[in-house]
Amino acid sequence: MGKPHALLIPYAAQGHVIPMMELMQRLVNHGVKVTFLNTDFTHKLVINAFSTDENLNDLASFVSLPDGVEAEEDRKDVCKLADAIFHVMPSKLEELIYKLNINEGEKVTCIVADTCMGWAFEVADKLRIRSAAFWTASAAGLALLWSIPKFLEDGIIDNKGILMKKQMVQLSPTMPAINSENFMWARIGDMKTQETAFHFAIKTNEFVKLADCVICNSAYELETSTFTSFPDILPIGPLLASNRVAKQIGHFWKEDSTCLTWLDQHPIGSVIYVAFGSFTVFDSRQFDELAVGLEMTNMPFLWVVRPDMFEDMKNDGFDDRISERGKIVGWAPQQKVLNHPSVGCFMYISDVWKTGLEFEKDESGIVSSEEIKNKIEQVLENKEFKVRAIDLKEKVAVALTEGSHSEKNFSNFIDWIQDTDN
């Protein structure tokens, strides 16, 4: 019997690579050999961001393949990137697996791929390798995609994903209602981009049927109704919280740790933390309104923003005006920041968890600086939001204890990987 050898394939985006890296560390800790496959582009970013005291060889083997996008092209076009990957990487993956399998005792015994890289399950099926789909976000998001056939049947959307009925829908009787206008593919770019995203979702649903199991980076305690209604989605997370003793890896940029020293200088619960993700693109006017809104609060804030977006702010004097109470960095050690006692608020989750307030847009579709200022002040002043946040924290703690749904599912997942005879 050969040693279990898992080939991990994340989608080529920061929010997908980090959870897959967390999964990688846990697999390695259980004696599983791991080969981690990135695209050439993300591979370079990840390797360059590793600090000099990190020994990659102690964790796993890192390999890469081309993504089909030219170096000068924009990879922020999610649909274009996904389409390019689909047309280039499957055949390249087959070639890679043949190379990895040259050593008889270290053949790839299973593939764990991001659900958004569903074509990998087709390759696995062709080569008769077991596979698992890994959904890195909330289970409700995947449940939404799996409910597309029902939306089509009920005439809520057409076969291009275009909204035909604006209404509140429930994915199951026990799950919170969702506004059909908030379907994930309906909030991406223009109509053409939305149609492309919708067909990508359809294709993903078909591919995932080829996987032997579907694991999710969430917890039963956080999304009980979703996991009850969609039992094929197995919670094994949250992986980020379960790896606090290990250093988080997989970042595309080097962390600016000076923000931690800066946080140490502020009172408990006083700092606003702002971070919208590495690929979030703001309308220039919305970006300005956010900057002014933060300035108007007169509260200390830590803002993670790409350097290229901050240059224009420097030009109009924003940098100088907020220098005494604002800290702006290109990339922050997010887990350490979120765990810092000085951070008072981070993001707004208003519909289900009730830990925040929803921003209201004006008639031009922009969230004004005044609206941003007012909602931030309300969240910090209303103690009920903190009470609910602490309650969620306690639920996550339960999800990480021995005997929890996540721990049982992960233990079974490890057994499945290590059973190389099947």
Side-chain angles (χ1 to χ4, degrees):
M1 182 176 67
K3 184 177 181 179
H5 181 182
L7 176 60
L8 272 54
I9 311 174
Y11 180 71
Q14 181 73 96
H16 294 251
V17 172
I18 289 179
M20 190 68 86
M21 285 274 194
E22 297 280 353
L23 178 60
M24 176 197 73
Q25 291 187 81
R26 294 198 69 186
L27 293 181
V28 169
N29 289 339
H30 282 80
V32 178
K33 176 181 173 60
V34 172
T35 296
F36 198 97
L37 171 62
N38 275 312
T39 65
D40 290 343
F41 183 80
T42 57
H43 177 78
K44 291 177 182 177
L45 292 174
V46 169
I47 298 302
N48 289 337
F50 271 98
S51 64
T52 55
D53 63 343
E54 289 166 336
N55 187 342
L56 302 188
N57 293 326
D58 289 343
L59 298 175
S61 299
F62 290 79
V63 296
S64 67
L65 293 173
D67 59 14
V69 179
E70 298 299 325
E72 66 277 5
E73 292 186 85
D74 184 11
R75 284 180 169 78
K76 296 185 183 70
D77 186 333
V78 178
C79 294
K80 184 176 181 180
L81 174 60
D83 187 61
I85 287 175
F86 174 73
H87 284 92
V88 171
M89 291 191 73
S91 61
K92 298 292 184 182
L93 176 60
E94 285 191 48
E95 295 174 8
L96 173 65
I97 291 174
Y98 287 131
K99 290 180 181 178
L100 293 173
N101 286 349
I102 291 177
N103 188 335
E104 182 65 30
E106 296 187 353
K107 285 186 175 181
V108 173
T109 56
C110 73
I111 292 176
V112 182
D114 192 295
T115 310
C116 295
M117 301 289 264
W119 50 267
F121 309 128
E122 189 171 57
V123 173
D125 186 61
K126 178 182 177 180
L127 300 182
R128 296 184 178 181
I129 300 173
R130 295 178 303 154
S131 63
F134 182 35
W135 181 256
T136 60
S138 69
L142 183 56
L144 176 67
L145 296 186
W146 285 5
S147 300
I148 286 177
K150 186 69 166 61
F151 300 150
L152 289 167
E153 181 183 333
D154 293 344
I156 297 174
I157 55 176
D158 66 11
N159 59 8
K160 294 183 178 180
I162 296 174
L163 190 64
M164 304 301 291
K165 296 179 182 179
K166 297 180 180 179
Q167 64 182 66
M168 301 300 289
V169 297
Q170 282 187 287
L171 306 185
S172 80
T174 60
M175 292 178 66
I178 301 172
N179 189 329
S180 59
E181 292 182 286
N182 292 331
F183 288 166
M184 60 182 70
W185 61 85
R187 299 174 64 87
I188 304 175
D190 56 20
M191 292 288 286
K192 183 178 180 181
T193 304
Q194 291 173 16
E195 182 180 345
T196 303
F198 176 73
H199 285 295
F200 176 72
I202 293 288
K203 193 178 297 182
T204 298
N205 283 347
E206 291 302 312
F207 279 136
V208 80
K209 294 176 183 177
L210 298 173
D212 293 289
C213 63
V214 180
I215 55 176
C216 178
N217 189 25
S218 184
Y220 180 85
E221 290 76 10
L222 294 178
E223 299 184 84
T224 303
S225 59
T226 303
F227 287 115
T228 300
S229 301
F230 294 83
D232 288 339
I233 306 175
L234 304 175
I236 64 165
L239 292 175
L240 293 180
S242 63
N243 271 302
R244 291 225 183 269
V245 294
K247 184 171 182 180
Q248 189 187 67
I249 57 176
H251 298 288
F252 287 7
W253 298 275
K254 288 188 179 297
E255 298 175 343
D256 186 341
S257 59
T258 62
C259 61
L260 298 176
T261 303
W262 182 85
L263 285 171
D264 290 339
Q265 301 169 7
H266 291 83
I268 294 175
S270 66
V271 177
I272 304 165
Y273 177 45
V274 186
F276 290 98
S278 55
F279 285 97
T280 301
V281 179
F282 280 108
D283 171 276
S284 58
R285 182 184 163 197
Q286 182 62 82
F287 190 84
D288 292 341
E289 290 291 333
L290 176 58
V292 174
L294 289 172
E295 185 178 3
M296 290 171 63
T297 65
N298 288 319
M299 300 176 186
F301 62 85
L302 171 62
W303 191 359
V304 180
V305 59
R306 295 200 310 268
D308 59 322
M309 298 177 71
F310 185 53
E311 284 304 315
D312 291 338
M313 296 162 61
K314 286 184 177 180
N315 294 337
D316 69 5
F318 177 81
D319 192 25
D320 294 331
R321 294 197 304 274
I322 57 89
S323 60
E324 293 186 3
R325 57 186 174 78
K327 175 74 171 176
I328 298 178
V329 296
W331 195 252
Q334 182 151 290
Q335 280 187 274
K336 293 180 180 178
V337 169
L338 289 174
N339 202 39
H340 198 285
S342 294
V343 174
C345 73
F346 171 44
M347 60 187 297
Y348 304 97
I349 307 295
S350 57
D351 290 337
V352 179
W353 290 337
K354 306 297 182 184
T355 58
L357 296 172
E358 184 176 358
F359 286 133
E360 299 291 338
K361 295 180 179 180
D362 61 23
E363 61 279 0
S364 62
I366 296 293
V367 179
S368 70
S369 55
E370 187 68 30
E371 169 73 356
I372 292 170
K373 168 184 175 293
N374 290 339
K375 289 295 172 64
I376 287 175
E377 290 176 347
Q378 289 178 48
V379 167
L380 289 174
E381 291 171 0
N382 190 331
K383 302 303 181 184
E384 290 184 10
F385 294 122
K386 185 173 182 179
V387 170
R388 295 190 186 106
I390 292 174
D391 178 62
L392 284 176
K393 181 179 179 180
E394 292 173 350
K395 287 182 177 179
V396 170
V398 170
L400 302 175
T401 59
E402 186 175 351
S404 68
H405 289 82
S406 287
E407 286 301 308
K408 287 180 179 177
N409 287 335
F410 187 79
S411 178
N412 291 335
F413 181 60
I414 289 293
D415 291 341
W416 176 79
I417 288 180
Q418 293 178 334
D419 184 9
T420 57
D421 288 335
N422 292 327

